[in-house]
Structures are given as structure tokens and as C-alpha cells.
Amino acid sequence: MRDRGAVRVADLVELLDVSEMTVRRDITELDRAGLVRRVHGGAVAPDTLARPTDEPGFQAKTSWAAAEKESIAALAAQEIAPGQAIALSAGTTTHLLAQRIAAEPELRPLTVVTNSLPVAETLHGVPAVDVILTGGSRTPSDGLVGPVADAALATLRVDRLFLGVHGFDASGLMTPNLAEAATDRALLHAAAAVTVLADHTKWGVVGLAHIAPLDAVDTVISDDALPTEARTALTDAGCVLRTKEH
């Protein structure tokens, strides 16, 4: 940390030849001691200003918690029934779910509403999948957001929304992008049921914009490393938590 000013969990796992859980636990302890500041995917020097407006690009996020995201996408696919209309928000985990839809004919036919360019590209031309792509302004995460996207979503209704988030805690779901928060809320309003896809590294990550409280969510799909405080907060909010162990 002193040499570089910032470290990534994946790099530390390889450098120190220890598990990801060990690295994350140690970062948490160092954060509590004031020696580092925990951020999404790693840690930075404690005197680095917190930047809740930081928005990583789509490609940068694809390697973060990759195994956990694959597991989450597999669980999410179990919530899909042929003939449904579903919505997939922008995000790397929702993109993995789109890849499963493309690869598994038993999940189709489907109508998929999305504001994600990678999701739309993955599902373009897949038999028995009708893709509805919102317009809007493009974000670093390759999502389409803003008034055009919001207006399109206001006219639609879907059976279930699969929503990716930048971060979440007991106060709710967050993103660093104000326009994306509004579009995510439009997605929420269009859905009869809401499933959030969030690996354990998203817990405690702060974004500038608040999307919705936890009690607006029906189900959260995460991984086994989700901390106890997160599980308690979700239970208190009435959310169903699904992980590989349950």
C-alpha cells in the first residue's frame, strides 16, 4: 500500500498466495485500524479522498469477483420461466445472466427489456428472445440512462427485474451515477418482482446516488461470503436471500 497507494484484492491473492477471503478479512481489519481505506475490489491509502462518484468501466468490472458472479448468474437463471417478460439492468452480473439465457434454450421463449448494451448484443439474434433496448445516454458501464430511457420504461411492465448495483448497505441500493439511479428506479417501477444480483464485495460500497431501500427488493442473490451484518439487514428488510449454500 505504501509503495503503490492502492491495491487490488486479486493482485494480493496472487502475490501473497492466500485466499481471497483472507485478503478481504485483513483489509477489513486494516480499515478499522485506519491504516487503509476499503474500496470496491481492494483498498487505497487512508488519506485518499472518498469518491462516491467513481464509476468503473464495464471491462474493468468483469474480472472482479468473477467466480461469485458466475454462481449468482446460475442461481438467477433458476428464477426465469419460459414465456415471461423480464428486465435486465446494466452490469457485469446481469450480462452473465444474459449469456446463460443465450446458452440455455429451456429458459426461452422470453421477452427481455434492458438498458444494457452488452446484454442487448449478447441476446441479439438468439432464437425465441425478443429484446427491447431502451434509448438513452451511455454510461461508463455501457448502460443507457437518462430521460429517454426513463420515458421508455414508464410504458412497460415486466414479470421480474434482475438488477445489478454498484453497492448496497442497510440504507439500500447505490450507484455513483445520478442518472443511472433514476433509470434503475424506473426499472423497479416497471417490475412486478425485483431480484438484486450483488456479490459480497458490493456490501458497504458507497455510491453518490441512492436507488431504493432494501424493502423495495424481493430477493437478493449473493454468494456465501456475504457478511453476517448484511444477512441480518436483508432479513430485517423482508428480503429473501439466496446463495449457493441455500
Side-chain angles (χ1 to χ4, degrees):
M1 177 67 69
R2 293 191 182 105
D3 290 343
R4 305 178 188 178
V7 290
R8 295 177 65 245
V9 169
D11 294 338
L12 292 174
V13 168
E14 183 175 352
L15 178 67
L16 303 175
D17 193 24
V18 295
S19 70
E20 181 177 321
M21 187 174 295
T22 295
V23 171
R24 293 191 183 281
R25 184 189 64 226
D26 290 350
I27 285 177
T28 298
E29 292 302 317
L30 290 168
D31 179 88
R32 288 172 180 165
L35 298 173
V36 305
R37 184 168 63 79
R38 179 177 174 265
V39 295
H40 185 71
V44 298
D47 55 352
T48 302
L49 292 176
R51 292 160 59 180
T53 57
D54 284 350
E55 186 174 3
F58 182 85
Q59 289 302 321
K61 292 191 293 184
T62 55
S63 63
W64 297 353
E68 290 89 342
K69 290 176 180 178
E70 287 282 4
S71 175
I72 289 167
L75 287 173
Q78 297 174 9
E79 296 198 345
I80 298 174
Q84 287 184 326
I86 64 171
L88 302 183
S89 77
T92 52
T93 312
T94 51
H95 181 239
L96 289 172
L97 178 55
Q99 290 178 338
R100 285 190 169 268
I101 292 170
E104 300 177 15
E106 62 271 20
L107 298 178
R108 312 194 299 260
L110 281 178
T111 297
V112 179
V113 176
T114 187
N115 68 322
S116 167
L117 291 169
V119 165
E121 182 64 26
T122 295
L123 295 177
H124 177 67
V126 174
V129 176
D130 183 17
V131 179
I132 300 172
L133 178 64
T134 70
S137 301
R138 187 172 184 169
T139 72
S141 296
D142 288 343
L144 298 176
V145 302
V148 173
D150 300 348
L153 291 167
T155 67
L156 302 174
R157 294 294 180 269
V158 297
D159 296 301
R160 183 172 294 271
L161 163 65
F162 294 93
L163 179 68
V165 295
H166 174 78
F168 69 125
D169 62 14
S171 71
L173 316 175
M174 286 169 280
T175 174
N177 188 308
L178 288 168
E180 185 166 37
T183 298
D184 284 345
R185 284 191 290 272
L187 283 163
L188 283 162
H189 293 154
V194 178
T195 295
V196 168
L197 310 183
D199 66 81
H200 72 276
T201 69
K202 303 289 184 70
W203 179 256
V205 175
V206 176
L208 176 67
H210 187 263
I211 301 168
L214 293 181
D215 62 12
V217 176
D218 298 289
T219 305
V220 172
I221 302 181
S222 189
D223 58 84
D224 298 349
L226 191 69
T228 301
E229 64 173 310
R231 295 169 184 262
T232 300
L234 293 172
T235 299
D236 290 346
C239 299
V240 174
L241 173 63
R242 294 187 62 201
T243 68
K244 189 168 58 176
E245 64 188 9
H246 295 106

